[in-house]
Amino acid sequence: MKIVCIGAGYVGGPTMAMIAYKCPEIQVVVVDINQARIDAWNQLDGCELPIYEPGLEEVVQAARGRNLFFSSDTHKHVAEGDIIFVSVNTPTKTRGVGAGKAADLTYWEGAARMIASVSTTSKIVVEKSTVPVKTAEAIEKVLRRNCADPNVQFEILSNPEFLAEGTAIEDLTVPDRVLIGGKETESGQRALAVLKSVYQHWVPDERILCTNLWSAELSKLTANAMLAQRISSVNTISALCEATGADVQQVAHSIGTDSRIGPKFLNASVGFGGSCFQKDILNLVYICEGVGLKQVADYWQSVVSINDYQKQRFVERIIEAMFNTISGKKIAVLGFAFKKDTGDTRETPAIDVCKGLTQDGAKLVIYDPKVTEAQIHQDLATPKFEWDHPQSSGTKSPRSSAITVVEDAYEACEGAHGITILTEWDEFKKLDFEKIYASMMKPAFVFDGRNILDHAKLREIGYIVYALGKPLDPFLKRG
Ligand code: UDX
Ligand code: ADP
């Protein structure tokens, strides 16, 4: 059996590496039109892979060259494949009907047309990237109408990926579940059994859930929407805590011990980020609007609106605390990735927070252990939703002179009026805050957008501390 995956990104790369690692008798080839990305996956040992993910290097090293290959020869490998996973970008549309909400399926359709044009044998085509409900129907039409050989059959399956970045290898090794959706026809069920047999190499049967196609597609959108909704819910409560003197961490812990609620995904934060949550919810909203479910659409839209509100609220707190002006003031930004243990910055809350601060005239000095200087400048110059449209990457504005990126947290904080924590990197907890305090302007502020620091200790040192959803420092209270 030969498996081919179109798209060597955050999902395609690790997922295929794990399949190859666990199934030595199956040949797995990951293809991408981005030659630089393929080259990076093929780097010799010791060089960095194109994405940072704990444990990924070991898995890739064990399988690469044995039964795992990365190639830009998409046509050849797709033609030879029995199972074709499609894991390409599904950005939010930036123009035209549904702009700002609907998924742009340009890359998906391009991949489907290519599969159809090169296929001389029947194939199972698997939706791996998150797609709107009923995408399989559209893709099937594209495949059938564009394949010259009438004997070639395509079976479409939906096999959404639930891995989270930073824990991808753990999530892939011991998944909560693997979900496979297929048509309820004989050939659909046969295809489903073939894909199931791949996962059965390491995933217990009871964790492989089989549904119809539309349920699988919708389950992925719903899972992300529900997770994001929990964060927005706790973030609304963080605002209420600040107004009432309650502590959001105590509230989250108290409610999380209720087994019906559970303790996970209740950390108040400066906002959720990542390539999926916002995009998938907007997509859900668009679908609901399309079928006339306005109230349902409004409900899910509010999850995104609250996330925007939380980022804005954080910026306003900083400005207000610093005597209503941050113009010309230096603010250290610790953390830019959308969460710890990843170098990924897609939809990171740091983008909106940094833009908000520079709009008010602040000078930012940014440090993140895994995000490059070039990436930070690019992110801060890219218009909303454009990041996932590779073809538009040529339209960059010049670098902002208000942004400096440094390679050390102490350097970032030197001479700063305030420090903001935007990513919960463990190394920030271990910083010498006495030393930092001595190097800062006074009064020295800390704005902890992830609640990871020891706030009592910081106050003892002399900092004025704002912590999300915590009783306000008397210095920060109005009047
Ligand atoms: C998410 C889903 O978890 C995963 O199943 C899906 O396949 C892809 O989208 P990911 O985006 O990698 O994964 O990260 P996740 O751990 O879900 O975090 C998303 C965002 O929420 C991050 O910005 C994180 O900091 C934030 N978050 C998470 C909180 O603010 N509070 C929490 O309690 C948890
Ligand atoms: P994800 O997080 O879903 O994995 P990424 O943006 O990291 O998304 O990866 C998607 C990859 O798909 C990119 O590397 C892009 O170059 C690739 N891609 C997009 N369209 C095609 C195509 N038609 N053929 C091959 N690769 C493609």
Side-chain angles (χ1 to χ4, degrees):
M1 189 195 295
K2 176 165 175 169
I3 292 180
V4 177
C5 176
I6 305 177
Y10 284 88
V11 173
T15 315
M16 291 306 120
M18 184 57 71
I19 290 180
Y21 180 67
K22 296 285 187 184
C23 312
E25 82 284 8
I26 300 177
Q27 195 193 70
V28 180
V29 183
V30 189
V31 296
D32 203 296
I33 39 175
N34 183 338
Q35 183 67 48
R37 219 167 201 186
I38 291 297
D39 291 345
W41 281 108
N42 282 323
Q43 289 282 2
L44 295 176
D45 302 346
C47 294
E48 288 202 357
L49 294 175
I51 61 175
Y52 170 71
E53 194 62 61
L56 175 63
E57 204 173 327
E58 289 79 358
V59 174
V60 170
Q61 270 177 15
R64 194 177 51 193
R66 178 188 74 182
N67 64 325
L68 173 66
F69 303 92
F70 295 91
S71 168
S72 53
D73 196 346
T74 49
H75 291 200
K76 171 185 180 292
H77 292 292
V78 169
E80 290 172 2
D82 303 297
I83 303 181
I84 315 292
F85 282 87
V86 184
S87 191
V88 298
N89 328 49
T90 46
T92 303
K93 281 183 80 173
T94 51
R95 53 185 74 87
V97 178
K101 279 187 195 153
D104 179 346
L105 291 176
T106 309
Y107 302 98
W108 235 108
E109 195 180 322
R113 285 180 192 279
M114 186 268 287
I115 297 170
S117 69
V118 302
S119 291
T120 52
T121 56
S122 295
K123 302 191 188 311
I124 298 172
V125 177
V126 186
E127 293 174 344
K128 197 66 178 161
S129 35
T130 311
V131 288
V133 190
K134 292 278 180 179
T135 298
E137 202 168 67
I139 295 306
E140 194 171 15
K141 285 180 189 152
V142 173
L143 287 168
R144 290 207 197 294
R145 298 290 167 96
N146 286 284
C147 184
D149 187 339
N151 295 319
V152 171
Q153 300 295 318
F154 296 106
E155 265 314 322
I156 312 218
L157 299 175
S158 166
N159 174 218
E161 186 48 63
F162 294 101
L163 69 80
E165 285 174 37
T167 54
I169 295 304
E170 202 183 313
D171 297 341
L172 288 166
T173 309
V174 196
D176 285 347
R177 78 315 209 171
V178 166
L179 177 59
I180 310 176
K183 276 198 171 167
E184 284 148 331
T185 57
E186 215 181 296
S187 58
Q189 292 302 302
R190 256 201 317 274
L192 200 147
V194 172
L195 185 56
K196 188 174 175 181
S197 74
V198 172
Y199 286 107
Q200 278 171 324
H201 280 74
W202 79 99
V203 182
D205 272 14
E206 65 275 15
R207 291 201 180 194
I208 305 179
L209 311 182
C210 300
T211 65
N212 74 30
L213 260 173
W214 324 126
S215 302
E217 287 180 342
L218 186 55
S219 297
K220 170 67 189 197
L221 290 181
T222 309
N224 277 345
M226 296 278 282
L227 289 168
Q229 182 254 39
R230 269 174 85 93
I231 302 167
S232 276
S233 296
V234 80
N235 281 346
T236 62
I237 300 302
S238 75
L240 189 56
C241 285
E242 287 165 29
T244 56
D247 178 327
V248 75
Q249 283 179 314
Q250 292 178 356
V251 174
H253 179 69
S254 309
I255 63 168
T257 52
D258 185 326
S259 59
R260 293 167 302 176
I261 296 176
K264 294 182 181 167
F265 266 69
L266 287 179
N267 288 324
S269 67
V270 59
F272 59 73
S275 68
C276 288
F277 282 180
Q278 174 172 284
K279 184 173 82 178
D280 290 357
I281 295 174
L282 292 175
N283 204 224
L284 196 60
V285 167
Y286 186 69
I287 294 167
C288 291
E289 285 173 349
V291 294
L293 298 173
K294 186 179 177 312
Q295 284 84 347
V296 183
D298 290 350
Y299 173 73
W300 288 111
Q301 178 68 50
S302 73
V303 173
V304 173
S305 307
I306 288 293
N307 199 45
D308 290 337
Y309 162 75
Q310 185 76 344
K311 291 180 270 189
Q312 184 58 29
R313 203 169 77 75
F314 189 75
V315 170
E316 284 169 12
R317 278 282 186 214
I318 295 174
I319 298 172
E320 196 182 313
M322 293 177 128
F323 319 111
N324 284 320
T325 176
I326 52 171
S327 181
K329 288 182 181 166
K330 177 177 167 182
I331 298 179
V333 175
L334 300 188
F336 197 83
F338 82 98
K339 64 180 199 181
K340 73 170 181 178
D341 291 338
T342 174
D344 192 354
T345 59
R346 295 178 293 176
E347 291 295 346
T348 176
I351 295 176
D352 284 343
V353 171
C354 289
K355 283 184 178 171
L357 293 173
T358 51
Q359 262 157 25
D360 247 70
K363 302 262 178 223
L364 304 184
V365 186
I366 305 175
Y367 165 70
D368 186 286
K370 284 286 166 198
V371 184
T372 63
E373 180 177 6
Q375 185 66 50
I376 291 174
H377 281 290
Q378 181 178 322
D379 288 339
L380 293 175
T382 304
K384 204 168 170 64
F385 300 125
E386 284 287 353
W387 54 268
D388 208 8
H389 292 260
Q391 86 283 15
S392 64
S393 56
T395 57
K396 300 277 151 47
S397 342
R399 286 181 172 203
S400 161
S401 59
I403 311 285
T404 311
V405 180
V406 296
E407 292 196 357
D408 175 75
Y410 293 101
E411 190 186 342
C413 298
E414 204 178 322
H417 293 258
I419 302 171
T420 60
I421 305 284
L422 299 188
T423 313
E424 71 280 23
W425 285 103
D426 289 335
E427 69 171 67
F428 299 158
K429 297 181 200 169
K430 297 179 205 135
L431 291 171
D432 180 347
F433 279 98
E434 305 244 16
K435 179 176 149 187
I436 290 176
Y437 184 75
S439 76
M440 287 178 68
M441 305 291 282
K442 310 292 178 322
F445 294 86
V446 170
F447 303 93
D448 188 352
R450 296 286 184 167
N451 281 338
I452 55 165
L453 302 181
D454 181 343
H455 303 134
K457 194 166 162 220
L458 290 175
R459 289 194 176 102
E460 245 170 59
I461 297 173
Y463 287 98
I464 295 158
V465 181
Y466 166 73
L468 258 178
K470 301 272 185 172
L472 279 189
D473 198 308
F475 189 96
L476 299 173
K477 284 197 180 136
R478 288 194 200 103

